[in-house]
């Protein structure tokens, strides 16, 4: 049976799923977390149970090679020829790539030129593509599915920055949002869950993980989003600062005697939860340490406060909301964080049902019956969305 492999390379993780090409049935999946750190972990399902191995400083190239070793070891594939196509989540396509695209040696250089739009993401996604060009037959199509595509329809009043308009157009400077694959998937899944037309919903989706973003959608399209020109803007994240006054960059350049790229690197890799807490970029560590560690508590409160600001702002932008949906690693698994965000929205009449929030499983309503806005938790599945796009592109030829 031919199969589709989907790779979702994030700034600190590499998730993958293997699908049967005919019905997109899930064959197996796994994740590599805390990439390029001493605590890096490789996880794969074996005989129905998760097998975990710690591999210090695991790189993305090593991760891809190890994945194929495991696929063969578990007899999930007998030979690489069984892989009919590979789908990649690619964060930044800018306005260069506006649709899912098969990657060739020619347009790979175009993709590399977009690394500056997502410096933590695009380079590792390119690394995975190049690794697979060595592992797989040249005839195996690799399809890039772009997060940025979803936001190309966002109204210019929210997509553009108030800089000279000609710069925005000439240099493709605008909000690209990112996490678009997830937000679009959750938009549709929320509508399906509520048995409503997604065009009729005023919706805020919270994709909260090591990278975090919040998107407001109406009439089936994104209206506003927290991430910007790069995934650095918006909420404070695992290692990313989130929104910072641009004037801080030259100020720190002078104070620290560093260049602009070095400062942006600090904002991308040494800031956020890690930079504020001083102990970890992982929300699980922040939550467990917050009761006794003042800086961990501060990092947590900054994250919550930022999320509340975005939701409140989108509530007024859209003239009210129908639904708020939490998703992604933190959004799906951290019930207390959902409580702390929604409790701050009580002024808008938004309330949780703590029993459903704390004890339910799978997609569900977690708001109380008297809440003015429905609050949902729905697991994201970017990999399935990518697999659908890959199948459509490769079978329409």
């Amino acid at each position: 049976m031919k199969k589709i492999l989907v790779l979702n390379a994030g700034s600190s993780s590499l998730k993958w799923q293997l699908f049967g090409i005919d019905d997109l049935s899930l064959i197996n999946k796994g994740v590599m977390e805390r990439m390029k750190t001493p605590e890096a972990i490789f996880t794969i399902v074996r005989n129905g149970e998760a097998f975990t191995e710690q591999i210090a400083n695991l790189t993305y190239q090593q991760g891809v090679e190890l994945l194929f070793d495991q696929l063969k070891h578990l007899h999930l594939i007998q030979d690489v020829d069984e892989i009919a196509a590979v789908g990649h989540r690619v964060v930044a396509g800018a306005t260069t790539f506006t649709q899912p695209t098969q990657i060739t040696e020619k347009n790979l250089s175009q993709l590399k030129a977009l690394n500056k739009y997502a410096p933590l993401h695009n380079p590792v996604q390119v690394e995975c593509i190049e690794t697979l060009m060595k592992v797989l037959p040249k005839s195996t199509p690799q399809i890039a599915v772009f997060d940025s595509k979803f936001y190309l329809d966002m109204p210019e009043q929210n997509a553009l920055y108030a800089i000279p308009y000609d710069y925005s157009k000439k240099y493709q400077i605008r909000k690209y949002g990112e996490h678009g694959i997830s937000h679009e998937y959750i938009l549709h899944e929320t509508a399906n869950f509520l048995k409503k037309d997604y065009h009729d919903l005023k919706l805020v989706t919270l994709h909260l993980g090591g990278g975090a973003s919040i998107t407001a959608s109406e009439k089936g399209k994104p209206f506003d989003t927290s991430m910007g020109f790069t995934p650095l803007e918006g909420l404070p994240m695992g290692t990313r600062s989130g929104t910072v006054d641009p004037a801080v960059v030259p100020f720190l350049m002078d104070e620290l005697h560093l260049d602009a790229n070095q400062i942006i690197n600090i904002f991308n890799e040494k800031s956020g939860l890690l930079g504020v807490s001083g102990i970890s970029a992982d929300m699980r560590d922040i939550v467990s340490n917050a009761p006794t560690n003042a800086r961990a508590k501060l990092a947590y409160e900054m994250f919550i406060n930022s999320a509340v600001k975005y939701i409140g702002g989108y509530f007024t932008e859209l003239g009210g909301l129908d639904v708020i949906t939490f998703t992604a690693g933190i959004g799906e698994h951290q019930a207390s964080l959902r409580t702390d965000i929604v409790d701050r929205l009580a002024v808008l009449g938004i309330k949780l049902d703590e029993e459903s929030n704390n004890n339910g499983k799978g997609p569900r309503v977690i708001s109380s019956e008297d809440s003015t806005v429905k609050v949902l938790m729905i697991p994201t599945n970017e990999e399935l969305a990518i697999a659908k796009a890959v199948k459509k592109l490769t079978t329409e030829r």
Side-chain angles (χ1 to χ4, degrees):
M1 179 177 66
K2 290 289 189 177
K3 302 169 178 75
I4 293 175
L5 175 66
V6 173
L7 296 184
N8 182 346
S11 56
S12 62
S13 66
L14 176 55
K15 294 183 286 186
W16 63 270
Q17 291 189 22
L18 185 67
F19 298 90
I21 194 169
D22 293 332
D23 58 0
L24 296 184
S25 56
L26 179 63
I27 297 171
N28 206 323
K29 64 180 180 178
V31 63
M32 301 164 225
E33 300 177 277
R34 306 192 187 202
M35 301 291 285
K36 298 183 179 180
T37 73
E39 297 81 25
I41 296 173
F42 179 96
T43 302
I44 191 170
V45 176
R46 290 182 179 175
N47 301 318
E49 295 186 5
F51 168 80
T52 298
E53 181 180 1
Q54 187 164 333
I55 305 171
N57 303 310
L58 181 67
T59 68
Y60 289 84
Q61 178 178 335
Q62 291 169 336
V64 171
E65 293 170 346
L66 179 58
L67 169 59
F68 272 85
D69 289 342
Q70 287 294 316
L71 292 180
K72 292 178 180 178
H73 176 72
L74 296 176
H75 305 293
L76 297 173
I77 61 171
Q78 302 301 319
D79 190 85
V80 292
D81 288 338
E82 291 180 36
I83 303 297
V86 180
H88 296 269
R89 173 211 176 197
V90 177
V91 168
T95 56
T96 303
F97 296 97
T98 61
Q99 297 294 333
T101 303
Q102 181 171 342
I103 298 302
T104 63
E105 290 190 7
K106 180 179 180 180
N107 62 23
L108 182 60
S109 62
Q110 291 179 286
L111 187 59
K112 288 180 178 179
L114 301 178
N115 283 354
K116 58 191 175 185
Y117 292 90
L120 290 187
H121 297 80
N122 271 40
V124 297
Q125 289 151 3
V126 167
E127 183 178 345
C128 291
I129 291 169
E130 291 186 315
T131 300
L132 284 170
M133 284 180 168
K134 300 171 186 175
V135 172
L136 295 173
K138 289 186 177 181
S139 59
T140 304
Q142 295 197 64
I143 311 298
V145 182
F146 297 93
D147 266 322
S148 50
K149 171 187 174 295
F150 183 54
Y151 295 103
L152 296 181
D153 279 338
M154 198 159 67
E156 283 197 334
Q157 69 193 64
N158 292 324
L160 298 186
Y161 295 97
I163 62 174
Y165 187 80
D166 290 346
Y167 295 172
S168 297
K169 294 301 180 180
K170 182 176 181 180
Y171 300 111
Q172 304 183 70
I173 300 174
R174 52 163 291 151
K175 282 190 173 187
Y176 291 109
E178 321 312 353
H179 290 149
I181 298 168
S182 177
H183 285 288
E184 185 173 20
Y185 176 83
I186 294 298
L187 167 63
H188 289 275
E189 288 299 299
T190 297
N192 291 339
F193 181 88
L194 296 173
K195 296 180 171 57
K196 293 183 178 291
D197 187 327
Y198 72 95
H199 293 94
D200 296 335
L201 292 179
K202 292 182 178 181
L203 170 69
V204 165
T205 47
L206 292 90
H207 178 108
L208 306 180
S213 63
I214 303 179
T215 291
S217 299
E218 70 167 348
K219 299 178 181 178
K221 295 182 178 181
F223 183 78
D224 205 348
T225 193
S226 59
M227 280 186 174
F229 178 60
T230 74
L232 182 58
E233 188 178 359
L235 297 158
M237 300 168 236
T239 63
R240 281 170 264 170
S241 64
T243 300
V244 174
D245 182 341
V248 174
V249 175
F251 178 85
L252 285 178
M253 288 171 63
D254 290 340
E255 294 294 321
L256 300 177
H257 307 293
L258 299 174
D259 63 30
N261 287 332
Q262 290 172 308
I263 299 300
I264 294 300
N265 182 67
I266 291 170
F267 287 177
N268 267 312
E269 299 189 4
K270 299 179 181 180
S271 301
L273 299 179
L274 175 64
V276 175
S277 72
I279 59 169
S280 178
D282 193 302
M283 183 61 80
R284 291 167 291 190
D285 298 333
I286 299 300
V287 170
S288 64
N289 282 277
T292 57
N293 184 306
R295 284 177 57 183
K297 184 172 186 286
L298 175 61
Y300 182 79
E301 290 175 344
M302 289 172 72
F303 184 91
I304 297 296
N305 195 56
S306 183
V308 169
K309 282 183 181 179
Y310 278 108
I311 298 169
Y314 296 156
F315 185 98
T316 55
E317 274 192 283
L318 295 179
L321 292 174
D322 299 310
V323 194
I324 296 170
T325 303
F326 287 86
T327 195
I330 297 170
E332 293 171 26
H333 302 296
Q334 199 72 51
S336 61
L337 180 140
R338 295 194 298 261
T339 296
D340 290 339
I341 290 175
V342 175
D343 280 354
R344 294 277 302 276
L345 301 172
V347 67
L348 302 176
I350 305 173
K351 305 174 186 178
L352 280 189
D353 178 271
E354 287 300 340
E355 177 66 24
S356 299
N357 182 47
N358 293 325
N359 300 318
K361 290 185 178 180
R364 63 193 186 275
V365 176
I366 59 174
S367 52
S368 62
E369 290 187 3
D370 62 342
S371 178
T372 56
V373 175
K374 283 193 180 298
V375 184
L376 275 60
M377 193 293 292
I378 296 181
T380 193
N381 196 338
E382 294 164 291
E383 293 78 23
L384 177 58
I386 293 167
K388 289 179 178 178
V390 170
K391 181 176 179 179
K392 181 179 180 181
L393 187 63
T394 55
T395 58
E396 282 184 348
R397 297 177 186 181

